[in-house]
Amino acid sequence: MPDCAESKKEMNRRTFVAALGAAALPLPLAAQELAGDGVVAAVNERLVRVLLASGDAVAEPKQIDAWHFSWNGRTYRGGYAYVQLASGRRGLINAVSLDDYLYGVISRELSPEWPKATQEAQAIVARTYVLSKMRPEKTYDVLTTDSNQRYAGITSESTAGRAAVDATAGTIVAYHGAPAQTAFSACCGGRTADSKDVWGSALPYLKSFVDPNCAGTPEYRWEAQVPYDTVQQILDLPRAGTLHGVELKNMTPSGRPRSVVFEGSASSVEVPTGELRAAAGMKVVRSTFLRTVTASAGGLTISGNGSGHGVGMCQWGAQRMGGKGASASEIVAFYFPNTTLGRV
Ligand SMILES: [Zn+2]
């Protein structure tokens, strides 16, 4: 209902004002430091602080009105401020209310053409994710990339994405009454990864399990050609001498090798799979769920399953579940077993 929506907007605005404090207003906020008590207030009021860029050469945002600004060809909700990063560099952050932030996430993560239930599941999972990242001791909460959640402000919004955020307002994934540490990636490749194997922390709702939903989707299987020039120095492959074999080693229970051993005439070189992926390019070797690695004169041919870390919700699997009629809560329950839906 329009009235409710408008009321919610007004509440967001009041929250924003309260969180930034009188000193930071009237806008522009460009010269204001969102630090100390301001940061604590921002977190308490659920203002998400998104790091847009860092360095001294960052272009100055342009204020459009009290609640929008433009920067780098995009338009954003909320305000902006500069912070001093731990690295000593200057950071430009967008401070934006929780659901206004999610508006800019959902259709950056998923196509607005995807099923409504899938988008709502993404909204619930994304809301929970960012809540787990909001800590006052940090100078910002999230980046705008796959390192956290994709976000490009109003420029990346869609009617369907905003509707998913509104329809799930206040709903999160909960474990024992607290927000869960949710995770998601593009495609698990048929079996999700265990958070313990990826990040070292075991969680009862981020275990590995078979996902039949994503089979046959566009990112389910891939093959990559990686030239030696790209990786051999980074991975110290010349030390092996002439390569005569490659072995996938130390398989996790989810079927992902922890390392790849290059066997050569001089020695064997063992490379952690994550390092191989980083050296080849994260979008070239799309996951650590490797199936085969073969060496030939020109380089490596690598095949694998899925795209991304594979922990938690598989977006392509969720797309198929939504297409078959599953609800958002059913999708969330499937990908985060042992959790319930909670409220913030
Ligand atoms: Zn999957």
Side-chain angles (χ1 to χ4, degrees):
M1 291 181 289
D3 286 348
C4 288
E6 195 47 47
S7 163
K8 178 172 167 267
K9 280 275 167 235
E10 185 54 36
M11 199 166 69
N12 283 344
R13 289 172 187 178
R14 285 204 304 274
T15 301
F16 185 75
V17 172
L20 286 180
L25 292 173
L27 297 173
L29 299 170
Q32 308 295 335
E33 289 292 323
L34 192 67
D37 291 345
V39 172
V40 174
V43 172
N44 287 343
E45 298 295 338
R46 297 206 179 98
L47 269 191
V48 181
R49 298 161 304 154
V50 188
L51 182 66
L52 297 179
S54 63
D56 292 331
V58 174
E60 181 85 12
K62 185 171 181 294
Q63 203 70 45
I64 297 171
D65 57 33
W67 305 107
H68 305 91
F69 67 91
S70 64
W71 175 77
N72 202 24
R74 292 172 177 160
T75 308
Y76 293 85
R77 298 177 188 270
Y80 65 90
Y82 290 108
V83 294
Q84 186 81 22
L85 302 174
S87 64
R89 290 158 68 90
R90 194 171 73 144
L92 172 65
I93 64 164
N94 171 201
V96 57
S97 71
L98 178 59
D99 281 9
D100 279 359
Y101 162 73
L102 294 173
Y103 283 168
V105 168
I106 304 306
S107 294
R108 194 76 172 163
E109 285 287 347
L110 304 179
S111 163
E113 306 297 321
W114 279 21
K116 180 169 167 280
T118 307
Q119 306 214 31
E120 292 178 0
Q122 180 71 63
I124 293 167
V125 172
R127 180 180 294 109
T128 315
Y129 176 88
V130 73
L131 284 172
S132 75
K133 294 293 175 190
M134 292 167 71
R135 297 202 180 90
E137 68 273 19
K138 299 191 301 181
T139 49
Y140 67 91
D141 301 310
V142 283
L143 302 171
T144 60
T145 64
D146 284 342
S147 297
N148 296 122
Q149 306 190 112
R150 297 179 192 176
Y151 169 76
I154 291 174
T155 309
S156 59
E157 291 182 10
S158 73
T159 303
R162 285 192 296 267
V165 173
D166 291 345
T168 63
T171 305
I172 59 165
V173 187
Y175 178 70
H176 285 181
Q181 293 180 48
T182 54
F184 59 90
S185 61
C187 182
C188 77
R191 183 167 186 126
T192 68
D194 191 315
S195 63
K196 184 169 187 297
D197 293 325
V198 178
W199 299 306
S201 54
L203 289 167
Y205 47 86
L206 294 180
K207 299 252 180 242
S208 174
F209 60 89
V210 171
D211 175 15
N213 299 299
C214 59
T217 57
E219 303 198 55
Y220 183 65
R221 289 247 170 114
W222 52 265
E223 184 175 287
Q225 306 294 330
V226 181
Y228 278 131
D229 290 348
T230 307
V231 294
Q232 64 174 352
Q233 295 301 332
I234 299 170
L235 302 178
D236 202 19
L237 295 187
R239 188 161 60 83
T242 305
L243 290 180
H244 53 69
V246 185
E247 185 190 356
L248 306 181
K249 203 174 167 190
N250 298 323
M251 305 298 272
T252 67
S254 77
R256 291 160 170 85
R258 291 190 174 90
S259 57
V260 179
V261 179
F262 295 90
E263 294 159 348
S265 55
S267 66
S268 292
V269 175
E270 185 165 346
V271 177
T273 310
E275 288 184 20
L276 171 60
R277 188 179 174 211
M282 303 290 272
K283 294 192 187 308
V284 176
V285 173
R286 294 188 219 163
S287 72
T288 59
F289 200 166
L290 306 187
R291 303 182 67 81
T292 59
V293 179
T294 54
S296 60
L300 306 173
T301 302
I302 305 175
S303 70
N305 275 22
S307 179
H309 53 64
V311 179
M313 188 173 80
C314 166
Q315 289 173 313
W316 272 106
Q319 191 257 11
R320 290 294 157 92
M321 285 186 76
K324 290 177 181 170
S327 67
S329 60
E330 286 169 338
I331 294 170
V332 170
F334 178 77
Y335 286 109
F336 301 97
N338 304 310
T339 63
T340 56
L341 291 183
R343 304 284 299 173
V344 289

